[in-house]
Amino acid sequence: MHWRCVRPLFWLALLAVLAGCGETPTGRSQLALVPGPLMADMGGDAFDQLRNTQPISRDAQANRLVQCVAEKVVAGAKASYPGLEFPERWEVVLFEDPSPNAFALPGGRIGVHTGLLQVAETPAQLAAVMGHEVAHVLADHGNERLTQQLGIKAVLLVVGLLGEGEFGSQQLMQALGVGAQLGISLPFSRTHEEEADLMGLEIMARAGFDPQQSVALWRNMAAHGGSQPPELLSTHPAHKSRIDALQQGLEEVTATYRTVTPAAC
């Protein structure tokens, strides 16, 4: 192809890249090119797929707990990051799944596995997980990972030279942090996980949940999960590293927690 034909595409691609450069709520530089409305649509499609293929819990008491904690966590997120755009409503579903997982998707969708309720012994511990997952959405981690996976295709998507249907649903689900076949929660990069941990602390504290319970939650996870691969071989931080990092952030968020009304769920 002659340079004169390529040059318009080059400048469009460059503009798209520049437009996609930004910062996460913590101030970290980020390249996230996929348009927000498209991310929300993909999040909705992924959630519908899971809801249609995975069993949903009918336990009334468990559902009340999950809905209550989710409502307060979303309110805490809005109070923590008032400059961000939030969905008008959040859909929350409790899935029958023994794995101790949860996830949040763009567009305002939260999924919780019943197995998590066996590990999160208090509403505050459940809020620690939900706050972490909502933080992934607020920090646009799925968009960032999808941009990395697509490479130049992300630029072509932005400039309208590639349609959503030209990349696979499995790739989309993985970028959003969800396993399409089993409904499992997939790890983000270690940078994303650490960022979501710290944002999640702020969110749960603003929501009225004792942030100290985040440490208790991950101790429970360590006891439940058994052995982990060496930290260098895993995108998730090792339990001890994660707990140490959370403890370092507790002083500031505990001061925040003392200024709000404790949550009751």
Side-chain angles (χ1 to χ4, degrees), residues 149-180:
Q149 289 180 359
L150 292 176
I152 189 61
K153 288 184 179 180
V155 178
L156 298 178
L157 179 67
V158 172
V159 299
L161 297 180
L162 183 71
E164 176 188 348
E166 295 190 48
F167 40 92
S169 61
Q170 183 66 26
Q171 186 179 27
L172 296 178
M173 295 286 271
Q174 290 176 349
L176 294 173
V178 180

Side-chain angles (χ1 to χ4, degrees), residues 183-254:
I184 60 174
S185 179
L186 299 174
F188 285 86
S189 72
R190 193 178 305 176
T191 296
H192 291 166
E193 291 292 335
E194 292 171 351
E195 188 168 45
D197 274 348
L198 296 179
M199 290 178 63
L201 276 180
E202 171 70 18
I203 289 170
M204 70 180 295
R206 289 280 181 190
F209 295 103
D210 184 357
Q212 300 275 351
Q213 288 292 302
S214 65
V215 173
L217 178 278
W218 283 107
R219 285 177 176 155
N220 291 350
M221 284 285 196
H224 181 275
S227 62
Q228 271 191 311
E231 186 167 7
L232 291 176
L233 303 180
S234 174
T235 53
H236 272 122
H239 293 311
K240 184 180 184 305
S241 297
R242 180 168 238 150
I243 290 170
D244 289 346
L246 288 169
Q247 287 177 322
Q248 291 177 13
L250 280 177
E251 182 176 355
E252 182 176 349
V253 295
T254 298

Side-chain angles (χ1 to χ4, degrees), residues 98-113:
S99 61
N101 282 319
F103 57 90
L105 299 176
R109 286 92 177 178
I110 298 173
V112 176
H113 293 182

Side-chain angles (χ1 to χ4, degrees), residues 31-77:
L31 182 64
L33 292 176
V34 183
L38 179 55
M39 289 298 300
D41 288 345
M42 291 188 292
D45 290 344
F47 201 67
D48 288 343
Q49 181 177 341
L50 291 172
R51 192 168 43 193
N52 291 332
T53 57
Q54 306 299 320
I56 295 174
S57 172
R58 302 302 176 188
D59 185 323
Q61 182 177 358
N63 271 280
R64 282 194 296 270
L65 171 63
V66 168
Q67 294 288 339
C68 177
V69 172
E71 180 181 351
K72 295 185 183 302
V73 164
V74 169

